[in-house]
Amino acid sequence: MNYFKISLLSLFAACSLMACDSKNSDSVVPTPEPETPGGTASTFAKGADIGWCTEYEAKGYNFYNAKGEKRECTALMKELGLDAIRIRVWVDPSEHDNWCNQEDVLLKAKRAKALGMDIMVDFHYSDWWADPGKQNIPAAWKSHSYEQMKTDVANHTREVLQLLKDNHITPRWVQVGNEISNGLLWDTGNAHKNPKQYAGLFAAGYDAVKKVFADAIVIVHLDNGFDNDLYNWNLDILKNNGAKWDMIGMSLYPYWAIQNTNFNYTSADAVITDCIANIKKVSAKYNCDVMVVETGMECADDNGKLPGASVLAEGKRQLSRILKECKENTDGHCKGVFYWEPECRPSQYRLGAFTENGRPTVIMDAFGE
């Protein structure tokens, strides 16, 4: 998520490797393949973050396939051609009805495993949303020192992953932080103010993942996948301060990039072109693979209504291009594309991919091509 998404998400809630540098062989951490993945372990993943699905169920919302047949959300994603699910986890979301707590994460993971789908765990290291505009320290950690906070990160990471392991679930990927373009756990781990501590906190998370799942692919996730300067700056901080990662995760939202006056984009295709170029650049510079862990297309108008057929068709075209180019035009280094909350209703989020009554729009057809 980026800055433009923050107000929308808040409204909804209220309503509802050491970098792998080939020049230094001692620092190379190759992207591992899991020994016992939760799903098919396909070369190129097609996935979605459907973190709101259980909350929707509690509200009485239902989902249907194109034939109008009722489906559980995870099963519907598989029916639509997806093979992986991304699950976010918050530290203590008790003030937000406990969605995305450990028990909720386990429930979603069990569903994905039962369907033979791969799993990505996305640690926010916050009690609620974390993104480039906010990385709030969990309430229980606020008075802690930097050293204590490293222990907090490690303990929380291990605890969640051990819960999955105890239930015979092996995630294929684990994100240490969500869109940590400006660091995490502010101000302790603010990348601008405390770059060394940012790297230290990330390293604590990385090491904790490996202690539970040695073969899990650890992802460092930044937003604005088209911004090469951002990736060089942030990843060099991690690399130069001894932190490791296995894969780079990107957010790619052409719609938000065009809306942001800080960027000079007038077309979605220009944004996609620059992101593909950045995937090639950072995969070569840091000698590791990349994944688009968040993307989304316009699926609502200014009034929160489903837009015209031409807008939805354009969304499908953009997603089809992203999938095709990530798979075929990145020298094999982009390993998948995840849609962020496709099941969202147009009245609640602009970049979903479903109708108000829980049916997939034409945008989702891109995954089946």
Side-chain angles (χ1 to χ4, degrees):
M1 298 172 290
N2 63 22
Y3 298 111
F4 286 92
K5 295 165 66 178
I6 296 170
S7 60
L8 290 170
L9 295 173
S10 298
L11 176 61
F12 168 70
C15 296
S16 48
L17 338 160
M18 175 180 304
C20 304
D21 188 344
S22 59
K23 295 180 181 178
N24 183 356
S25 59
D26 291 337
S27 68
V28 173
V29 181
T31 299
E33 290 294 334
E35 295 178 0
T36 56
T40 58
S42 59
T43 302
F44 187 86
K46 294 187 290 184
D49 186 317
I50 53 172
W52 272 324
C53 68
T54 48
E55 184 174 355
Y56 278 165
E57 291 171 5
K59 294 177 182 294
Y61 298 167
N62 297 314
F63 298 96
Y64 305 87
N65 63 15
K67 297 178 182 179
E69 299 166 334
K70 187 177 177 180
R71 292 285 187 270
E72 185 274 321
C73 188
T74 319
L76 180 54
M77 294 300 147
K78 184 170 184 180
E79 188 174 324
L80 291 168
L82 282 69
D83 54 29
I85 294 297
R86 181 174 182 251
I87 306 170
R88 62 176 167 268
V89 55
W90 295 327
V91 177
D92 179 16
S94 56
E95 292 187 5
H96 305 283
D97 297 324
N98 284 317
W99 301 114
C100 302
N101 66 4
Q102 294 186 31
E103 291 75 18
D104 193 33
V105 168
L106 178 60
L107 173 60
K108 295 166 189 171
K110 284 181 175 179
R111 292 179 180 182
K113 181 186 177 182
L115 291 164
M117 303 178 80
D118 283 319
I119 296 167
M120 180 187 297
V121 178
D122 174 17
F123 282 94
H124 280 232
Y125 299 115
S126 185
D127 289 335
W128 208 34
W129 300 106
D131 52 50
K134 57 183 180 297
Q135 295 281 335
N136 297 324
I137 295 173
W141 306 358
K142 280 191 174 180
S143 63
H144 292 185
S145 67
Y146 165 59
E147 291 298 330
Q148 288 175 307
M149 211 167 290
K150 286 196 294 182
T151 300
D152 293 331
V153 167
N155 289 344
H156 172 64
T157 303
R158 287 197 301 266
E159 186 175 274
V160 173
L161 296 182
Q162 190 62 49
L163 177 64
L164 296 180
K165 191 171 188 177
D166 290 345
N167 283 272
H168 312 291
I169 297 170
T170 301
R172 188 175 180 191
W173 313 274
V174 178
Q175 279 188 214
V176 174
N178 186 74
E179 289 189 328
I180 53 175
S181 304
N182 299 308
L184 71 166
L185 294 161
W186 294 347
D187 278 335
T188 303
N190 187 303
H192 298 272
K193 298 178 180 180
N194 297 304
K196 290 184 178 180
Q197 292 184 178
Y198 162 51
L201 290 166
F202 186 91
Y206 179 95
D207 291 343
V209 173
K210 295 297 185 177
K211 285 183 179 179
V212 183
F213 292 112
D215 294 321
I217 299 170
V218 178
I219 296 175
V220 53
H221 174 207
L222 313 182
D223 73 332
N224 294 338
F226 51 84
D227 188 348
N228 182 246
D229 289 341
L230 165 66
Y231 281 71
N232 286 331
W233 171 76
N234 186 294
L235 298 177
D236 279 352
I237 289 174
L238 296 179
K239 174 185 173 182
N240 294 337
N241 288 284
K244 302 175 184 178
W245 68 84
D246 303 321
M247 178 180 282
I248 297 167
M250 295 182 173
S251 291
L252 170 58
Y253 292 103
Y255 178 86
W256 297 124
I258 294 170
Q259 300 301 311
N260 192 334
T261 56
N262 291 322
F263 305 113
N264 295 316
Y265 288 111
T266 59
S267 75
D269 282 313
V271 179
I272 296 169
T273 294
D274 284 355
C275 184
I276 297 299
N278 193 31
I279 290 172
K280 294 178 181 179
K281 290 175 182 177
V282 298
S283 62
K285 177 178 179 179
Y286 299 104
N287 190 28
C288 60
D289 291 329
V290 179
M291 183 178 287
V292 175
V293 298
E294 287 190 24
T295 192
M297 311 301 140
E298 188 174 6
C299 193
D301 61 20
D302 291 336
N303 298 312
K305 302 292 186 181
L306 200 70
S310 62
V311 175
L312 296 175
E314 171 62 12
K316 179 196 172 185
R317 185 195 70 81
Q318 292 176 26
L319 180 56
S320 294
R321 183 189 168 194
I322 291 170
L323 286 162
K324 181 177 176 61
E325 292 216 30
C326 282
K327 186 175 183 179
E328 300 177 2
N329 191 29
T330 59
D331 303 320
H333 288 296
C334 186
K335 298 301 184 180
V337 173
F338 280 67
Y339 205 102
W340 197 84
E341 298 285 5
E343 83 284 8
C344 286
R345 285 158 159 68
S347 61
Q348 295 165 331
Y349 176 56
R350 187 157 196 154
L351 303 187
F354 272 52
T355 66
E356 194 69 21
N357 61 359
R359 288 166 170 78
T361 67
V362 67
I363 293 173
M364 295 301 290
D365 290 350
F367 283 109
E369 293 178 343

